[in-house]
Amino acid sequence: MKHRIVVLGAGYAGAFAAGNLTRRLSSADTEITVVNAEADFVERMRLHQLAAGQDLAFRKLADVFAGTAVRLRLARVTGVDPERRTVAVTGEDGDGELAYDTLLYALGSSVAHHGVPGVAEYAYDVAGRSSALRLRERLARLDAGSAVLVVGEGLTGIETATEFAESRPDLSVALAARGELGAWLSPKARRHLRQAFDRLGITVHEHTAIEAVEPTRAITGGVSGVSGVGGLSIPADVTVWSAGFAVHPIAAASGLEVAETGQIVVDRTMRSVSHPDVYAAGDCAYAIGDNGRPLPMSCASAGFTNMQATAAIIARLTGAEVPTTGLKYHGNHISLGRRDAIFQMVDAEVRSKSWYLGGRTAARLKAGVLKGAGWGIAHPTFGMPKRKHRLVTTPDQAGVRAAA
């Protein structure tokens, strides 16, 4: 019996991991299955563009993994039983169950409502393709002068607000920030950001917490300790919620050890601290970076953690020494529409350095990063070694070794 590796999720972390595993492990004694709810690979970093009305080409996962040893199962994960080492799924073929010897959990995240009244009922988001398309349809129906409010001053909020303002200059775009816009950037980068917002005509409501969302407005509550005005309302024909991300409760419900965030607690090799035959990568992993702090939910974290997880899986199955890959951030890359961007370098403590890159050069660099990531996903076996690694034990014993 072959050693069964099941990868849950085919986002940036899961798709890259599956490609890496099939490149380096022999199909003679390993079987790799990827479970994903959608038939396409969705470039999450570009969903604000999709919502803004731009046409994006999505790659079919069946085409991505064609000619490889990866098996694709189009289904939604409904549960994980780490004691029985099974995954429950449901899809067009009905309900089913997959058994595994090694599980790589990479189901990503969704938008976090934070319990704010009205968000689930009235707000939109760009955390998934279906929600981005829903927002796209709503924006297309807006008349000139309609108000769009983006809630959240993080990377997603900034990119969404600037993309909408550039693509739809007929709309009145605003952003609600709990603190100061771009407070974490270097002074020069912060000035560049504010100039971009001014150029695009985006209104900024700083030190403003949104306490409720209604069909045509958002209710503010101010921020404790700051002289922001609360109890007022901001007109919003459309409210876009980008105030953070949350993971699915499946991991917590399964009995895996999770953090308060619901993320799977892992060791330095991305292995579950409670179930050694389970690994996690991407947003759903509670991993500690090289600076001793939890990695944030981001595409960069997906890259770091999937590389470490796959390296550890391969090493443990083939009897090699488990390597450690770097878990260190180098900077933040923020799109400000299609022709402007900011690349902010950071130090080991994730504090912004004085140097930054901005303007069209930074925009071209960001476009290159996105293109490179998409190309890597589309070519999972590029650079495939002529000789793949075999398991050091018989397939029946490999699961025991992986759990050791």
Side-chain angles (χ1 to χ4, degrees), residues 154-196:
L155 302 184
T156 302
I158 291 173
E159 292 194 335
T160 300
T162 52
E163 195 74 50
F164 289 2
E166 181 180 272
S167 299
R168 291 290 305 274
D170 59 315
L171 299 177
S172 176
V173 180
L175 182 142
R178 290 185 62 87
E180 178 186 350
L181 179 67
W184 41 276
L185 294 170
S186 64
K188 291 183 179 179
R190 192 182 315 143
R191 184 162 56 248
H192 185 114
L193 176 63
R194 289 187 174 276
Q195 289 172 347

Side-chain angles (χ1 to χ4, degrees), residues 203-267:
T203 300
V204 181
H205 301 278
E206 294 184 313
H207 306 299
T208 301
I210 301 302
E211 291 195 340
V213 176
E214 298 180 355
T216 60
R217 64 177 185 169
I219 308 301
T220 71
V223 176
S224 177
V226 180
S227 58
V229 178
L232 301 179
S233 65
I234 301 174
D237 297 294
V238 171
T239 297
V240 184
W241 195 261
S242 57
F245 299 100
V247 298
H248 198 284
I250 285 177
S254 71
L256 292 166
E257 184 172 334
V258 299
E260 291 183 1
T261 57
Q263 296 168 289
I264 299 172
V265 180
V266 296
D267 63 16

Side-chain angles (χ1 to χ4, degrees), residues 322-401:
V322 178
T324 56
T325 61
L327 299 177
K328 178 182 178 181
Y329 269 83
H330 298 284
N332 294 309
H333 209 156
I334 315 165
S335 294
L336 304 174
R338 296 296 87 214
R339 296 180 294 275
D340 193 6
I342 291 173
F343 183 70
Q344 175 67 70
M345 299 295 293
V346 299
D347 61 19
E349 298 302 315
V350 200
R351 293 175 302 207
S352 294
K353 296 182 178 180
S354 60
W355 182 89
Y356 89 100
L357 181 67
R360 288 183 179 271
T361 300
R364 286 194 290 267
L365 178 59
K366 178 64 178 287
V369 170
L370 294 174
K371 184 177 180 180
W375 191 93
I377 292 290
H379 301 81
T381 58
F382 177 75
M384 186 189 305
K386 294 181 179 179
R387 178 178 178 275
K388 294 190 177 184
H389 298 287
R390 298 292 301 272
L391 301 191
V392 295
T393 60
T394 63
D396 287 338
Q397 297 172 322
V400 176
R401 178 181 178 83

